[in-house]
Amino acid sequence: MPRPIQALIHAEALSHNLARARAAAPDSRVFAVVKANAYGHGIERAYEALRGADGFALLDLAEAQRVRDLGWRGPILLLEGVFEPRDLELCSRLNLWHTVHCEQQIDWLAMHKTHQPQRVFLKLNSGMNRLGFAPTAFRTAWTRLDALPQVDEISLMTHFSDADGERGIAHQLQRFDELTRDLPGERSLANSAATLRHMGGGLRSDWVRAGIALYGSAPDHPAHDIAHWQLQPTMTLRSKLLALQHLQPGDSIGYGSSFVAEQPLRIGIVACGYADGYPRHAGTGTPVLVDGIRTRTLGRVSMDMLAVDLEPVFAAQHNAQPGAEVTLWGMGPRGTRLAIDEVAHAAGTIGYELMCALAPRVPVASVPASA
Ligand SMILES: *Cc1c(COP(=O)(O)O)cnc(C)c1O
């Protein structure tokens, strides 16, 4: 029998979350962001559920090829554009839209020989200071692109640094509006946080770029949780209890003896560790479900195992035994749930990192949408 750990990808939840993103931005078209192998879900596994999107956005040309191989003929946007001149040939061949964020990319376009003019998304650095033209260089870049026979349509884009937080988007939006007011072309501004939190406020974004919300994580956790945004978990990481231990006061658990029992304590040992992608930074108290009963982890996460407190499970009159189902995140038995954001929060990180870090050794199964 294989080791009992398993990840599940829930197609119905992916489709549901896509519908939520659409509902939040009813006047926009939606790019489903599938970079990083669909945030760890697997592009091929997520594709059927997300093909109701208007386009796909990603970074890697090999991932763009995979989306085309799945039969997608609609828009695909490269969020960082091309990395070297010959990538432009693949853009022509696969009909990819690509971001232009620096002068060098315009130089490459100017030298590119093609019969097929390309659609580009010119990116403004409106304050994120990651990629994009500075406000002083943006108009010149637009004029240069506009003069190139290799370019047939210029769209305008920027990225918000604080759509999920208190600072918000107004300062960046103002810069973007000032610089682009009189320019033609479609706009693409909003990530998940901006889509959920700011689209109602008169923000115009012909294309929103929804990533994390599709994967059942609240972009502004812990201010809001997925229940607030009516999102559903799309990835479950589950395993089983391998063993039980009865601790006496003074007994410790695992490496470093970081947890010491103060009273008699029944604990379970779970077949899941950091080599499966479970965060080692998750200390004692990280939420976990045993047979659907919410409890907590105890002590340090090892490579292949971690320990959980079984007292709440026995208190709920459940007889936890080796083989009992353990939900590390996602959907548990009998409709129970544990949001990945809660686990991430306990580990000092965000849901994005946990789903992307699911380890290759964990077998993944798809749960198809029920008919
Ligand atoms: C990753 C990414 C997104 C999606 O962000 P989420 O927070 O996951 O919705 C949107 N735009 C760009 C440029 C990105 O790199």
Side-chain angles (χ1 to χ4, degrees), residues 33 35 39 59 79 123 130 157 159 190-193 209-213 219 352:
V33 181
K35 62 187 177 186
Y39 291 49
L59 310 177
L79 289 166
K123 184 161 191 177
R130 213 170 51 173
M157 86 188 261
H159 194 60
N191 59 0
S192 295
R209 307 185 299 266
I212 197 69
Y352 296 76

Side-chain angles (χ1 to χ4, degrees), residues 13-361:
L14 285 163
S15 302
H16 168 91
N17 295 342
L18 175 61
R20 294 301 308 154
R22 254 197 207 297
D27 300 325
S28 306
R29 272 161 290 162
V30 179
F31 281 121
V33 181
V34 293
K35 62 187 177 186
N37 200 22
Y39 291 49
H41 290 61
I43 286 176
E44 287 74 13
R45 275 185 293 269
Y47 175 71
E48 267 313 304
L50 295 180
R51 63 183 296 177
D54 302 293
F56 288 94
L58 39 71
L59 310 177
D60 196 45
L61 285 107
E63 289 188 338
Q65 175 81 63
R66 282 161 62 192
V67 175
R68 285 284 180 246
D69 289 346
L70 287 162
W72 178 255
R73 294 168 172 275
I76 297 178
L77 172 64
L78 296 177
L79 289 166
E80 294 179 348
V82 295
F83 302 102
E84 57 176 332
R86 64 179 184 158
D87 293 345
L88 289 167
E89 287 158 32
L90 205 63
C91 289
S92 293
R93 190 142 53 79
L94 297 179
N95 188 19
L96 308 180
W97 299 352
H98 52 101
T99 300
V100 171
H101 64 77
C102 66
E103 292 290 346
Q104 195 179 35
Q105 289 175 327
I106 305 183
D107 296 341
W108 294 340
L109 261 171
M111 294 179 315
H112 179 55
K113 293 185 177 50
T114 180
H115 301 293
Q116 191 110 50
Q118 301 186 348
R119 176 162 176 179
V120 297
F121 280 63
L122 179 63
K123 184 161 191 177
L124 171 70
N125 173 12
S126 59
M128 178 80 166
N129 288 312
R130 213 170 51 173
L131 297 184
F133 288 89
T136 48
F138 186 77
R139 301 287 301 213
T140 314
W142 190 90
T143 307
R144 261 192 93 192
L145 282 174
D146 191 43
L148 292 183
Q150 290 89 345
V151 172
D152 91 307
E153 196 175 333
I154 308 173
S155 303
L156 309 169
M157 86 188 261
T158 197
H159 194 60
F160 297 128
S161 60
D162 288 76
D164 58 329
E166 273 181 19
R167 192 175 182 205
I169 63 170
H171 61 293
Q172 287 183 266
L173 193 54
Q174 188 187 347
R175 246 175 240 168
F176 182 84
D177 281 343
E178 278 165 16
L179 274 158
T180 60
R181 194 165 291 145
D182 57 334
L183 293 179
E186 293 190 324
R187 272 90 172 129
S188 177
L189 306 179
N191 59 0
S192 295
T195 301
L196 294 176
R197 289 168 65 100
H198 299 288
M199 282 310 287
L203 173 63
R204 176 188 162 199
S205 184
D206 301 294
W207 289 87
V208 297
R209 307 185 299 266
I212 197 69
L214 303 181
Y215 305 103
S217 166
D220 56 355
H221 184 87
H224 295 114
D225 60 13
I226 53 170
H228 174 88
W229 296 118
Q230 296 174 41
L231 301 170
Q232 297 176 359
T234 58
M235 178 191 284
T236 292
L237 180 62
R238 69 180 187 188
S239 185
K240 289 184 174 170
L241 289 185
L242 292 176
L244 270 60
Q245 302 291 345
H246 283 240
L247 304 192
Q248 297 307 314
D251 286 349
S252 63
I253 301 174
Y255 289 117
S257 303
S258 73
F259 179 87
V260 179
E262 287 175 358
Q263 55 220 14
L265 184 66
R266 285 165 291 184
I267 67 168
I269 305 301
V270 184
C272 176
Y274 61 79
D276 300 301
Y278 194 88
R280 188 176 172 280
H281 283 103
T284 291
T286 303
V288 58
L289 308 181
V290 176
D291 194 21
I293 311 288
R294 193 180 167 102
T295 178
R296 57 178 183 147
T297 66
L298 298 172
R300 221 178 254 175
V301 175
S302 312
M303 187 187 238
D304 314 307
M305 284 175 269
L306 56 82
V308 296
D309 183 353
L310 292 181
E311 293 302 334
V313 184
F314 289 114
Q317 320 248 289
H318 274 248
N319 193 12
Q321 303 207 1
E325 182 168 335
V326 178
T327 309
L328 287 316
W329 59 70
M331 314 265 203
R334 304 180 306 279
T336 53
R337 287 177 182 194
L338 177 59
I340 196 170
D341 296 330
E342 283 195 71
V343 180
H345 189 67
T349 184
I350 51 179
Y352 296 76
E353 190 180 7
L354 298 194
M355 53 182 79
C356 292
L358 183 72
R361 81 173 186 184

